[in-house]
Amino acid sequence: MSTAPYTTSTAFLEALTETGVEYVFANLGSDHPGIVEAYAHANANGDAHRFPKMIICPHESVAFSAAQGYAQLTGRPQAVIVHVECGTQNIGGMLHNAAKGRTPVLVFAGASPFTQYGEHTGSRNEFIQWIQDVHDQRGIVRGYTKYDNEIRTGANVKQLVHRAMQIATSQPAGPVYLVGAREVMEARLDPAEANDPRYHLNRTAPIAPAALDPRTTDTIARALTHARNPLIVTSYLGRDPRAVTQLQRLAEHLAIPVLESVPMRLNFPADHPLHAGYQWNTQEPTPALAEADTVLAVDTDVPWIPLSNPPRPDARIFVIDTDPLKEQMPLWHVPAEIFARADAATALDQLATRIDDTGPADPDAVEERRSRLSAHHDRRRQALAENEQPHPPAITPQHLVAQLRDLLDTLDDDTIVLTEAISNYQTVNEHLRATRPGSLIGSGGGSLGWHAGAAIGAKLAHPDALVVSLVGDGSYLFGVPASAQWVARRYNTPTLTVIFDNRGWKSPKLSTLGVHPDGAAATHDDFNTGFDPEADLPGIATAAGGAWGRTIDHPDQVADTLKEAVEAVRAGQSAVVSVHVPKV
């Protein structure tokens, strides 16, 4: 091969490697010939290490969620390449998840060529390039990205990539978006110009973690030490395993119960006697909130639902968050006396250290509370265990999760569980009883189908881990399973998917009943949520990805089927188990 041309595409891909990107999850289109050529030259010349490894994904949502899953588990952002505005729109739901879940992902999309008579290499030569030319392509994503920009010249492409990554990884983290027209990405470039030392491209680290100021630390620490019934509420603190350790330290100092509200991470060990349980769309008062006189809300978007389970009116409330004002949420209100923007691990360490110095205001009250909370935790665990018993002929979600938990407990594998069970979110959390930070994660947002690509990203991030997705049948279908299972087969990322198959959308039915409990839909059982005729959900994975698949409908089948499925995954084959739980 002759010496490969150095183009804007070359510099762009080099910049991704320089910023720590290991994988580019790509759905290529007519706007990417420069990138295709750069990879081909690198491969032909034995120089492929210059660029991130490309993972081809036949659907954009799978590509994006794979990048998100990788970043969620490693903290290292990956890149996604999609086709102009159509490909950009296909990542919409997954982009929402990364934005709401504060996960760094870099998206590059081409743009329709801006010349049509061959003025530059890459000029328009396909009809689609007129149809896909829109007024404001970047505007499609601007409500969800932290940064967007257009690559107008290769001279500063590396500056743009490094800046985009710095913004993406600075807290609150999130996705960023770059576009570049074909002519720009094809342009020849002097490597010295792209790598000008004046740019200091190695000096684009994310912003250092923020801490509490001393006065705020004193105020919150004093409130917690003097509280009779303090409570900590969190949702996504577990993104940082260090924060889980510091939360446990603070809670144990003062015997403070920890409530996980809409958790998208493991935030506190489920077996800890100070774990106060979970709340999702809880429609009745939560005892821990109803009793608390002081509430510390740390990294939580929805600490409670004001209409259903707010804290008591006279409770003192403090907010510590990487995003304390929720600026992307037009309607949001928590009646706190302090809102502090701080890194959770740093802030909790400050509070625990301050309380170490001062001690509790009433040590006897702390020990009485510790004993009372431990007894309550044991009673709640016993009640949950009773709900796990089989009830033939139906397979209950509680029994299913318990059987999976017991199986996973017998394995030596590190296990990562992705939860997208929607109406069974709470069941998964309560009965899985996860204890290890990073072992249980959700999408961070509300767009379904994340698990399908995220499982691929998780497996790439931790090749030796057993990756298990617990999903509803609706979530499974939203995940474009044919595409995801094909990608998993091609890149040897086998995972287990367990489907809570109630043959319909349970969540819309519950939402309707929540507003119209005695309405016409309830009276006539007419919710338009059923999935009849039933689809062969494992069959999709078998056809597209050669997966091991089975559908079961009796409790006696659960344990052996799950064991066979895990053995298939450990042998290198993806597995999908559709479990008939009570029908919607």
Side-chain angles (χ1 to χ4, degrees), residues 541-561:
T542 300
W548 183 100
R550 187 169 300 170
T551 297
I552 60 175
D553 58 10
H554 194 280
D556 292 346
Q557 300 172 291
V558 174
D560 289 343
T561 301

Side-chain angles (χ1 to χ4, degrees), residues 12 18 50 70 114 169 176 191 204 221 260 274 344 380-381 435 442 545 563:
F12 169 74
E18 292 162 5
R50 292 171 62 196
Y70 192 102
F114 52 78
T169 54
V176 293
T204 52
E260 294 192 71
L274 292 174
R380 188 174 67 252
R381 286 287 291 270
T435 60
K563 184 177 180 181

